[in-house]
Amino acid sequence: MIDLEVTALAKTFNRRSIFRDISVKVQSAQTLRVIGQNGAGKSTFVKILAQVLTPTSGKVKISRDGRVMKSHLHNLIGFVSPYMQLYDEFTAEENLLLSLSLRAQTVDSTAAKNLLGRVSLGGRSNDQVRTFSSGMKQRLKYAFALIHRPPILILDEPMSNLDTEGIGTVRQIMKEQQDRGILVVATNDHSDLEKFDHQVDLSGRP
Amino acid sequence: MEDPRKMKSFLVSTKAVFLKDWRSELRTRYALSALVMFVLTTIAIIVFAFGGESPSQEVLAGVLWVIIFFSGMSGLARTFVAEEERGTSLTLQLLSTPTAVLFGKLAFNVVLIIIVNTLAVLLFLFFFSTFRVSSVGLFVTTLALGSIGLASASTIIAAIIARANTKGSLFPVLSLPLLLPLLMTVIHATSLSSEGAFFSEGLDDFRILVSYIGAVTGVSYILFDYVWKD
C-alpha cells in the first residue's frame, strides 16, 4: 500500500507565485489528474511530486504500508515527460540498465529486453538513443520509468510524440499502473485520463 | 548513513555514477579532448615564449601549476555542464541521491585530472630539461594531493555554474579565489621537490592540502543538495 499526500503546497519563482495552497491525498489504486492551461505550473507541480524540485512551502509525504518514507524516494517513482532526456550516447538497453545501477538495484538484462519489447523497441535495443526518432525516445522513456517497477508513476503530457500504436501501449501501461499503485497524469488533453479519482486544477491560480 | 544497507546502496550508486561518466567520456571525449589539447597548446606556447632562456626552478614550478590549473578549468566543469546542456540533469536527479551524484562525479574528476596531470608533467619534463625533480616522493605526493584538491573544488563550482548562462567565463573566475590557497601550497611544495628537500620538509604543505581537501569536500557535501535540486 502506497500513499501520496500533498499538504498546502506552494511554489514561487523569483517572487512570482506559480500556485499555492494545494492539498490532495492519493492512495494505492487511485489516479490523480493535474490540469491547467499552459504556464499554470503542471510540470512544476509534478516535478515537486517526483522530488526533483523543492516546494517554496508545503509538504509532499509518501508512505508505504503506513510508514512515512524519508530517503531514496526516487526509487518509488517512475517519471515520463517530454522535457526529460535520456543518454544519447548509450544504447536503449544500456539506458535501462543504467537506471537500475544508479538506483543501486540488481541489474536485470532480461527484464530490460522484455520491457523494450513491450514498447516495440525490441529490435533496436542495441542502437544508440541518438539514432531514435522523438516518438521512439518517448516510448523508451516509458521503459525507463517502469524498469524498477515503481509504485508511483507520474506522467507529464503522456501522449506527446506518440503514434496510434504508442498511444495504445501507454493506455495499457496506465491501466496496469492503476491496478498496482498510484498514477499521476498532468495533461491538457482530457481524453488522456477520462476516469480519475482526484483532480488538481491549476487554472486561474494563485 | 549509519545503516549498512544505506551505506552499501550509496557506494553502489556512487560507483554507477562514476562508471556512467567514464563510459560516456570514452564515447564522447567531451572533457578529455579539451584537457589534452589545452595541455599541448599551453606547453607549446610556453616553450616558444621562454626561447633559449633557463628560468629558475621556482618559476618553472609555478608555470607547471599554471598549466595544470588552466587545463583543469577547460575540462573539469564538463561533468556537470554536459548534463545540463544535454538536458539529462533531470534524469540523473530522478535516478540517484544527490550525495551519490556528487561523489561519483568527484571520483570521475579526480581520475581525469590525475591522467591529464601525469601527461602534463611528462611533457613538461621533456620540454623543460632544466626542470629537476630531485625528491620524487615529495613531488608525486604534491601532484596527487594537488590533483585531488583541484578536482574537489572544481566539482562543486561546476555544479554551481552549470545552470548559468555565462558558465564558460564564470568557472575560472569563481575557481581562482577558491583555488589560490591550493595553488600557493602546491607551487611551494613543487619548488621544495626541485631543490631536493627531504619528504619531511613538505609535511606542513601536505597538512594544508589534506585540510583543504577535507574542508572543500565537507562544504560540498552540505551544499550540494541545494545546488543540485533547485
Side-chain angles (χ1 to χ4, degrees):
Chain A
M1 281 289 286
I2 193 100
D3 291 334
L4 173 67
E5 189 175 356
V6 174
T7 314
L9 206 68
K11 184 67 185 176
T12 306
F13 282 125
N14 299 327
R15 294 185 190 169
R16 190 171 71 86
S17 178
I18 307 298
F19 52 75
R20 61 186 156 87
D21 201 25
I22 294 177
S23 301
V24 64
K25 186 173 181 183
V26 192
Q27 295 175 314
S28 274
Q30 290 189 336
T31 51
L32 167 64
R33 187 167 81 171
V34 184
I35 59 168
Q37 74 274 33
N38 291 342
K42 297 188 296 297
S43 296
T44 303
F45 181 73
V46 291
K47 278 185 192 172
I48 293 172
L49 296 190
Q51 311 288 314
V52 292
L53 207 57
T54 313
T56 307
S57 63
K59 275 184 186 170
V60 176
K61 192 168 80 178
I62 296 175
S63 315
R64 193 170 211 175
D65 300 326
R67 199 162 61 92
V68 177
M69 307 299 287
K70 294 206 168 149
S71 66
H72 291 78
L73 297 178
H74 59 279
N75 284 343
L76 302 173
I77 296 165
F79 187 86
V80 177
S81 78
Y83 46 84
M84 184 181 107
Q85 302 296 326
L86 300 180
Y87 289 93
D88 270 359
E89 68 274 26
F90 295 141
T91 67
E93 188 180 339
E94 282 173 340
N95 265 285
L96 299 196
L97 300 182
L98 179 69
S99 166
L100 291 172
S101 61
L102 283 168
R103 292 176 192 278
Q105 294 184 354
T106 310
V107 174
D108 185 349
S109 191
T110 312
K113 282 195 172 79
N114 290 341
L115 210 44
L116 286 170
R118 171 113 205 261
V119 294
S120 308
L121 290 174
R124 302 291 301 269
S125 61
N126 291 320
D127 290 349
Q128 288 191 352
V129 174
R130 72 180 56 180
T131 64
F132 284 15
S133 69
S134 53
M136 290 163 76
K137 283 181 182 171
Q138 182 73 358
R139 286 169 189 237
L140 180 58
K141 285 176 195 172
Y142 278 92
F144 196 77
L146 293 170
I147 186 76
H148 60 294
R149 303 181 139 270
I152 301 172
L153 183 61
I154 301 172
L155 310 177
D156 191 357
E157 301 297 352
M159 307 306 179
S160 54
N161 296 321
L162 291 174
D163 57 16
T164 315
E165 186 200 345
I167 289 171
T169 307
V170 170
R171 287 201 191 285
Q172 185 60 32
I173 288 170
M174 287 163 71
K175 191 171 176 301
E176 287 169 19
Q177 183 67 29
Q178 287 175 47
D179 294 337
R180 73 163 187 222
I182 290 172
L183 175 67
V184 178
V185 179
T187 181
N188 270 325
D189 186 345
H190 289 210
S191 66
D192 286 351
L193 190 64
E194 287 158 357
K195 292 178 185 169
F196 51 89
D197 301 294
H198 303 274
Q199 175 166 285
V200 169
D201 186 354
L202 297 173
S203 304
R205 286 173 181 262
Chain B
M1 228 176 280
E2 314 82 38
D3 186 347
R5 273 184 310 174
K6 278 188 185 167
M7 179 51 116
K8 192 185 168 203
S9 158
F10 160 71
L11 291 174
V12 171
S13 195
T14 301
K15 185 181 160 197
V17 173
F18 171 78
L19 290 176
K20 171 194 85 68
D21 277 2
W22 195 243
R23 214 172 292 149
S24 174
E25 181 58 37
L26 290 177
R27 288 188 191 176
T28 61
R29 306 273 200 280
Y30 263 123
L32 206 56
S33 312
L35 283 160
V36 171
M37 282 311 294
F38 197 93
V39 168
L40 288 172
T41 49
T42 320
I43 287 182
I45 289 166
I46 292 170
V47 166
F48 288 124
F50 278 152
E53 287 181 36
S54 301
S56 68
Q57 293 300 310
E58 207 165 13
V59 169
L60 285 174
V63 169
L64 172 65
W65 281 99
V66 166
I67 294 169
I68 289 174
F69 170 76
F70 281 107
S71 62
M73 292 306 97
S74 69
L76 289 180
R78 296 301 307 172
T79 180
F80 278 107
V81 171
E83 300 274 4
E84 202 59 45
E85 284 178 352
R86 292 183 298 168
T88 49
S89 293
L90 173 71
T91 313
L92 197 51
Q93 285 171 11
L94 288 163
L95 296 177
S96 195
T97 59
T99 318
V101 172
L102 172 68
F103 285 100
K105 289 197 175 283
L106 174 60
F108 171 77
N109 268 349
V110 167
V111 172
L112 188 70
I113 198 70
I114 284 177
I115 291 171
V116 173
N117 286 357
T118 307
L119 174 74
V121 167
L122 291 174
L123 288 171
F124 199 76
L125 286 168
F126 179 76
F127 284 106
F128 297 94
S129 50
T130 53
F131 180 64
R132 291 187 312 271
V133 179
S134 306
S135 173
V136 176
L138 190 59
F139 181 78
V140 170
T141 310
T142 304
L143 190 67
L145 289 175
S147 301
I148 296 169
L150 189 61
S152 311
S154 305
T155 303
I156 188 66
I157 298 169
I160 293 169
I161 61 105
R163 290 176 195 184
N165 291 328
T166 53
K167 43 181 92 69
S169 53
L170 206 55
F171 188 58
V173 168
L174 275 181
S175 299
L176 185 64
L178 195 61
L179 286 169
L180 211 52
L182 176 95
L183 288 172
M184 288 166 69
T185 311
V186 288
I187 289 170
H188 182 250
T190 307
S191 297
L192 286 179
S193 75
S194 299
E195 291 161 9
F198 290 112
F199 189 83
S200 56
E201 290 177 65
L203 286 179
D204 282 345
D205 287 332
F206 296 157
R207 280 190 202 103
I208 295 171
L209 291 175
V210 170
S211 307
Y212 179 92
I213 293 165
V216 170
T217 310
V219 170
S220 304
Y221 174 71
I222 295 164
L223 279 182
F224 190 71
D225 213 5
Y226 303 99
V227 174
W228 184 230
K229 273 198 171 176
D230 286 309

